[in-house]
Amino acid sequence: RDYATVTQEPLSHSSRRNCLAEFRNGGRTVIVEEVEHFLDASRVTCPTVISCVPRFFNYLYDIYKRETSGGKMSEEEEEAVLNKIRAFFGPHVRSTVVGGAPV
């Protein structure tokens, strides 16, 4: 399976230098400008690598809290919410790269 990366980092970011290796090996990279569009891009791309900033995981946690009413549900209902979130990424994710620095 070829590499497919979904990232919020611009090509000028130092970690995006990995794109060259991905491109050389037939991979593709989708760059998302807004964190709110990350899940849509992941659903379409079926990434093998997700590269994002911590804000993205805060966004996922906000979705989780909203869907679970702050944790007031059964384990089965909570698992259904988690499976819904997992489904956005597809079955091919091999790794996640997270980075951030204080400004």
Side-chain angles (χ1 to χ4, degrees):
R1 175 132 179 104
D2 61 347
Y3 286 100
T5 300
V6 177
T7 184
Q8 193 184 5
E9 301 158 340
L11 283 173
S12 60
H13 192 280
S14 62
S15 70
R16 290 294 84 224
R17 294 180 187 179
N18 296 332
C19 287
L20 296 175
E22 293 168 4
F23 295 151
R24 188 174 47 242
N25 293 314
R28 60 194 187 281
T29 297
V30 175
I31 299 172
V32 179
E33 291 185 27
E34 301 293 329
V35 70
E36 292 80 14
H37 302 290
F38 206 98
L39 293 176
D40 292 332
S42 294
R43 186 183 311 119
V44 171
T45 307
C46 292
T48 54
V49 179
I50 296 172
S51 178
C52 55
V53 295
R55 180 172 171 244
F56 172 70
F57 290 100
N58 289 339
Y59 179 71
L60 282 182
Y61 185 63
D62 289 342
I63 292 172
Y64 169 80
K65 286 192 308 189
R66 184 176 60 242
E67 295 285 325
T68 61
S69 303
K72 300 173 183 157
M73 57 181 14
S74 71
E75 285 185 33
E76 292 83 17
E77 292 170 320
E78 182 180 10
E79 189 64 30
V81 170
L82 291 173
N83 286 335
K84 178 180 171 183
I85 292 171
R86 288 181 194 118
F88 281 113
F89 303 109
H92 304 292
V93 175
R94 290 187 226 160
S95 63
T96 302
V97 180
V98 181
V103 178

